[in-house]
Amino acid sequence: MKQILMHWMHLIRAVLSVVAVFLCSVITTANASEVFPTRPIKFVVPYAAGGATDTTARLISKELTALLGQPVIVENKAGAGGNIGTDYVAKSAPDGYTMLLAYTGPMAINPSLYDTLPFKPRQDFAPVTLLAQAPQILGVHPSIPVKTVDELIAYAKANPDKLFFGSSGNGGADHLAGELFKMRTGANITHVPYKGGAPALADLVAGRTQMQFMTIPASIGHIQSGRIRPLAILNKERYPLFPDVPTISEAGVKDYDINNWYGVVVAAGTPPAIVSKLNVALIKALRSEEVQSRFSGLGLIPVSNSPEAFKVFIDKESDRWAEIIRVSGATLK
C-alpha cells in the first residue's frame, strides 16, 4: 500500500512539474507579447535599395515606428534572387524582432526553380499579413507598329527572332510571364536577362529591346510619359490608373494571370501573440493616408489579411507558380 501511495505521489509531482513549466511558458510568452517591442526591429528587404520592394518597406517602416514606439530599421540583404535575405530571416530568432518583406520570387517562385534552397517558405516562416499587390503590364517600345496584343502576336509571327523582351533575370516573374506568353500565343520572342529590372527597363525605353512584362510600380512613369506603350494588364482585373488598358484575358490570351505581391513574415516559432500584434500594427500602417497615397502613386494596391489567410495565400501561390514553371519549361539558365 505504501509503495502504491509513493508511486502516486511521484506521478502527481511529475504532472505538477509539467503543468508549472507550461504555465510559466504561457505567462512568459504573454508578458513578452504585452511589452513587445522593447528594442528596434529589423525589417529585411531581400533586394537592393532603390527598387519598388525597398520603397514599400521604407514607407511601412516609418508608420510602424510610430505605431510600435520602437525604430523599425530597413536592412537590404540582396543576392541570389532574394534568397540570401530570405534565408537570413528564416534563421533569425523567432521573437518578432526580425521581419522579412516577403516577395513573390523567394516565397513562391524560387522553390520550384532552384534545385536546392537553404530555406523552406512553407515551413520556416510565420506569415503575418499581405501588404500589396503589384500587377504586371505588357508594354512595347513606341517604335513597334502594334497597338493591341493581337497585333503584337501577328507581328511576332511575321518577324521571327526580331522581338526581344528584357527581364530582371532568369527565373524572375517577368521572365516567367514572357515564357508563359510564348506558350499561350505561339509568339516568337526572345528573352534577354538583365541583372535587375531597372537596367532591363532602361533598355526598353532606349529601344534596345522591343517589349517587356513589367510591374506597374517600375514602369508607371514611362507609361504616363509615352515612352512605353501599354498593351495589357497581366492579371484578371483592369488597373484604375489605366482604365483603357484591357486585361490579358480581354485581349484574347486565356489561362494567363501574372501578379506580384508583397507581404510580411517572421521566423517560424514566433509566439502567436507577437505575430498578432505585428499584424494589427501593419494593417493600421496600410490604412494611413500617406501609405495609401504613395502606394497609389507607385501603382501598388494595398491588401491585408490575417496570418492564417496569408498562409493559405502563400501555399496557393506556390502551387500556381510551380505549374507556370512546369508548363513554360523556364529554367535559371
Side-chain angles (χ1 to χ4, degrees):
M1 185 69 177
K2 185 176 181 181
Q3 287 181 337
I4 294 174
L5 194 59
M6 290 293 291
H7 170 76
W8 278 104
M9 288 179 66
H10 285 302
L11 185 60
I12 291 169
R13 286 197 189 101
V15 171
L16 289 174
S17 177
V18 171
V19 171
V21 170
F22 172 75
L23 289 175
C24 182
S25 174
V26 169
I27 292 169
T28 299
T29 300
N31 288 339
S33 65
E34 285 176 8
V35 299
F36 174 87
T38 59
R39 52 188 170 87
I41 295 172
K42 287 190 287 189
F43 197 1
V44 175
V45 176
Y47 296 96
T53 313
D54 179 67
T55 301
T56 301
R58 293 182 189 278
L59 283 171
I60 294 296
S61 67
K62 179 182 176 182
E63 297 295 326
L64 283 182
T65 294
L67 289 166
L68 293 174
Q70 290 288 342
V72 178
I73 303 166
V74 173
E75 289 191 9
N76 298 90
K77 294 185 180 294
N83 292 339
I84 290 175
T86 303
D87 182 52
Y88 175 84
V89 177
K91 293 177 171 56
S92 67
D95 55 13
Y97 286 97
T98 305
M99 303 189 305
L100 173 71
L101 188 73
Y103 183 60
T104 318
M107 296 297 293
I109 296 175
N110 292 359
S112 295
L113 201 60
Y114 285 74
D115 291 334
T116 59
L117 282 178
F119 59 89
K120 296 179 180 179
R122 302 197 200 203
Q123 287 85 34
D124 293 345
F125 297 101
V128 181
T129 184
L130 262 174
L131 287 180
Q133 301 276 11
Q136 285 197 319
I137 192 167
L138 166 58
V140 299
H141 189 269
S143 64
I144 305 303
V146 302
K147 293 185 178 180
T148 67
V149 172
D150 279 343
E151 290 178 358
L152 175 65
I153 295 168
Y155 184 86
K157 290 179 178 179
N159 297 273
D161 302 319
K162 289 187 178 180
L163 286 183
F164 295 84
F165 75 96
S167 81
S168 58
N170 286 317
D174 45 359
H175 171 210
L176 296 177
E179 296 299 333
L180 187 61
F181 185 80
K182 289 164 63 175
M183 288 287 298
R184 294 285 186 255
T185 66
N188 193 327
I189 58 178
T190 303
H191 175 229
V192 182
Y194 288 78
K195 293 183 178 180
L201 192 59
D203 268 9
L204 174 64
V205 171
R208 286 184 282 272
T209 56
Q210 292 73 46
M211 57 185 289
Q212 195 165 325
F213 302 83
M214 311 157 285
T215 61
I216 290 178
S219 59
I220 187 170
H222 296 303
I223 292 171
Q224 291 173 331
S225 68
R227 291 189 290 268
I228 295 173
R229 179 184 298 141
L231 298 186
I233 302 295
L234 301 186
N235 64 354
K236 297 176 181 179
E237 297 178 0
R238 292 198 180 199
Y239 189 72
L241 291 180
F242 305 121
D244 295 330
V245 179
T247 67
I248 193 76
S249 177
E250 290 172 335
V253 182
K254 305 303 180 183
D255 299 320
Y256 190 107
D257 180 18
I258 302 292
N259 191 29
N260 286 340
W261 48 267
Y262 304 111
V264 174
V265 299
V266 291
T270 300
I274 289 178
V275 171
S276 178
K277 191 165 187 177
L278 289 172
N279 175 271
V280 170
L282 283 161
I283 291 174
K284 286 182 179 178
L286 282 174
R287 291 174 180 166
S288 76
E289 289 185 10
E290 182 176 0
V291 169
Q292 292 275 329
S293 174
R294 291 289 303 278
F295 271 26
S296 177
L298 288 168
L300 293 171
I301 302 172
V303 184
S304 61
N305 56 6
S306 68
E308 295 78 16
F310 189 27
K311 182 183 185 309
V312 171
F313 176 86
I314 292 171
D315 289 345
K316 287 183 177 179
E317 280 290 284
S318 298
D319 293 340
R320 188 171 72 87
W321 281 103
E323 179 63 10
I324 290 173
I325 292 167
R326 185 190 68 79
V327 169
S328 68
T331 68
L332 290 172
K333 300 178 181 179

